[in-house]
Amino acid sequence: MKRLVDLDKDEAKTHFLKGSSYFSGDLPKYISFEPILTDVSAVLAGGSYVDFGKNPHEFPNVNYNFLTNKDGKFSWRPYELIHPVLYVSLVNTICEERNWASIRARLEEFKGGIVDCCSAPVMSMDYQTDVAIQIKNWWQSVEQKSLKYSLEFSHLLHTDVIDCYGSLYTHSIAWALHGLTKAKKGKRDKDLIGNKIDSHIQASRYGQTNGIAQGSILMDFIAEIVLGYVDEQINLELAQNKDIHILRYRDDYRIFGNSDEQTESALKIISDKLRAIGMKLGVSKTISCRNVVEGSIKPDKLAGLELQDLGVSNAKTIQKQLLRLHFFGQRFPNSGALRRLVSEFHTNIAKQTETPDDLDVQVAIATDIAFISPSTFPAVAGILSHLISLAPSEEKVLLWNKVRKKMVRVPYNGYLEIWLQRVTKPKAIGIKFESKEAICQIVNGIVVQLWDSSWIKDAKLNNTLDVSKIVIADASDIEEVVQPEEVKLFKENAWAY
């Protein structure tokens, strides 16, 4: 494991230009954005988007948005694929030698004080994914430190930011990198790296100054810069207070103290400093606890410990184990513990090699787990792919059509559609998957537009944006059963949830 800020400029650039950095979620293995990023980078040759066309901030659909549903109903999260030209241009800008040195130095200044940041971006140095390493870092840094603080503190207050990425005020990037006074005086200074980052983000989002794209390692890094600046402001306010300690992981805060008054006073300061950059805390998610050990571990994780082996000793059949998972999912929908348990079940289900009499019941229960908790669908898709592979050939299409008919009732979920296509597209199934989701259409060979590139006037650069290149293998040739390795985020370091 290595910190991102410990990389040199060339290493950082290579890291940001990986397909898994451009979009950090799980995608079927026949989809990758890296070929486009590589071609765009070759044409830009270290340069900026400003040399290749009009100002894109005048165009409303420069980035591509698709949604993932969080609760199967009315709560959803937008993923935003930044226009590759703007993305590569921003990477080039950040990784210029002077700029990268300045950013690294500024991040070092944020360290120390009352607030302990546990979300400094890290990357894998072996086979593991960078996202998995980040999750492992969370487990080691946040939960383990929280438990140790029970020796020093009696009270814990837990809170987080509402819509962190969507509410971030982009001008605050310059405040974070240069200090408020210098940034205000130099708000028109195009040489300031903070202003350059701000202008790139505005250019990709129709000139908006509120919100950054969600779904890439690069934007995680920029959000961390701004939140590090907030840490600095909190540290200045609480510098003399030795009875408080704060752990922060991204937009999640844990405040430790020895009285309600202490923790609530610190909470107010955090709220004030966040409000200055456009963010606010979620009142409904703010929890106060007078036992630090109990409050350090999320309730879903504690409950998940009891269900670690799915109660195999008492629930010996696959159906009973699925029912236990289903019950847990109703108690803790879309929770990290549920994702871990589903992942473990995905790994273990491969031991079932004979077609069970109750196969249709198993499929129904597994599907309903994902229907209630759509965030589990990539791993549930793996479970379903194994179960349905055991069915006679004439029944496979019937079962998959039933699954699909149910899951498409989940509103606003382009991400789920991508994984539905993955499990129904193989030749062994052979379902013609039709979807309004543009990425699914591209996989089907349909020419569609992901990003508005009409602002680009350079023909060679436009040619690099052929979206068919994101399909790096024929989806129909992929194996019928989704292996756990294909769903890396669920498979690796699952205990960190």
Side-chain angles (χ1 to χ4, degrees), residues 59-348:
F59 297 76
N61 299 307
V62 172
N63 291 350
Y64 177 69
N65 291 272
F66 64 105
L67 298 171
T68 179
N69 196 295
K70 296 172 67 176
D71 64 356
K73 297 179 181 178
F74 310 114
S75 178
W76 49 82
R77 171 180 296 164
Y79 284 132
E80 193 167 339
L81 300 179
I82 303 170
H83 194 290
V85 172
L86 291 171
Y87 182 88
V88 174
S89 175
L90 180 53
V91 170
N92 289 341
T93 300
I94 287 174
C95 295
E96 287 180 10
E97 186 167 7
R98 183 183 65 173
N99 293 337
W100 184 242
S102 173
I103 291 170
R104 292 175 65 185
R106 184 63 173 131
L107 287 171
E108 286 299 310
E109 292 176 6
F110 294 152
K111 294 171 62 176
I114 297 294
V115 182
D116 184 357
C117 170
C118 303
S119 52
V122 294
M123 59 183 293
S124 171
M125 300 304 293
D126 54 27
Y127 68 92
Q128 299 181 90
T129 66
D130 298 316
V131 174
I133 287 294
Q134 191 75 43
I135 294 169
K136 185 177 181 180
N137 187 52
W138 180 85
W139 161 246
Q140 293 173 338
S141 298
V142 180
E143 289 196 345
Q144 297 298 290
K145 284 184 179 180
S146 296
L147 291 168
K148 287 192 290 186
Y149 285 145
S150 66
L151 288 171
E152 304 173 50
F153 302 104
S154 60
H155 288 58
L156 169 60
L157 200 155
H158 190 176
T159 189
D160 63 10
V161 178
I162 298 174
D163 189 24
C164 175
Y165 285 45
S167 59
L168 188 151
Y169 183 51
T170 62
H171 291 340
S172 66
I173 299 168
W175 306 350
L177 288 172
H178 309 292
L180 184 60
T181 301
K182 182 177 180 179
K184 287 284 189 180
K185 288 182 178 179
K187 61 183 179 181
R188 301 189 187 282
D189 185 348
K190 295 182 179 181
D191 288 331
L192 292 182
I193 178 58
N195 290 342
K196 289 180 179 180
I197 296 172
D198 185 5
S199 66
H200 273 81
I201 293 172
Q202 287 188 53
S204 70
R205 308 187 87 239
Y206 205 23
Q208 294 182 61
T209 59
N210 58 307
I212 61 175
Q214 186 164 335
S216 71
I217 297 295
L218 181 62
M219 289 298 113
D220 291 344
F221 181 65
I222 289 170
E224 198 58 51
I225 291 171
V226 175
L227 290 168
Y229 167 71
V230 174
D231 293 346
E232 182 182 60
Q233 302 304 304
I234 296 169
N235 285 332
L236 290 172
E237 190 84 14
L238 293 173
Q240 304 305 315
N241 193 329
K242 305 302 180 184
D243 298 320
I244 287 289
H245 196 81
I246 300 168
L247 292 180
R248 179 180 65 79
Y249 182 84
R250 295 187 178 172
D251 61 347
D252 182 290
Y253 292 84
R254 296 183 177 203
I255 308 168
F256 299 84
N258 286 306
S259 70
D260 289 332
E261 182 181 5
Q262 288 177 350
T263 56
E264 289 170 9
S265 176
L267 177 69
K268 182 180 183 302
I269 291 170
I270 293 172
S271 178
D272 289 343
K273 303 308 178 185
L274 286 168
R275 191 164 53 249
I277 62 166
M279 298 182 187
K280 62 181 180 179
L281 296 173
V283 176
S284 63
K285 292 186 177 182
T286 300
I287 302 170
S288 181
C289 187
R290 296 189 179 186
N291 184 292
V292 174
V293 171
E294 179 185 1
S296 295
I297 309 296
K298 293 181 178 180
D300 64 288
K301 186 161 189 175
L302 288 173
L305 291 172
E306 300 174 5
L307 199 63
Q308 180 181 353
D309 63 353
L310 293 176
V312 171
S313 58
N314 296 317
K316 297 188 177 184
T317 68
I318 297 296
Q319 183 182 142
K320 288 180 179 178
Q321 292 167 31
L322 280 168
L323 284 170
R324 287 177 68 95
L325 261 182
H326 187 275
F327 177 72
F328 186 89
Q330 287 184 308
R331 290 176 63 200
F332 302 104
N334 291 294
S335 63
L338 177 63
R339 294 196 294 273
R340 176 177 59 79
L341 291 167
V342 169
S343 171
E344 291 174 352
F345 189 81
H346 180 201
T347 300
N348 295 332

Side-chain angles (χ1 to χ4, degrees), residues 373-422:
S373 300
S375 67
T376 66
F377 191 75
V380 171
I383 294 169
L384 290 170
S385 70
H386 177 79
L387 291 174
I388 297 178
S389 73
L390 301 175
S393 297
E394 64 274 11
E395 292 184 18
K396 289 181 181 180
V397 172
L398 179 62
L399 285 170
W400 275 123
N401 277 329
K402 288 181 177 180
V403 170
R404 185 184 173 197
K405 186 175 180 180
K406 178 165 184 169
M407 294 309 299
V408 296
R409 299 207 307 265
V410 176
Y412 302 108
N413 207 332
Y415 186 53
L416 185 150
E417 288 273 292
I418 291 168
W419 278 98
L420 271 173
Q421 183 179 48
R422 159 63 183 93

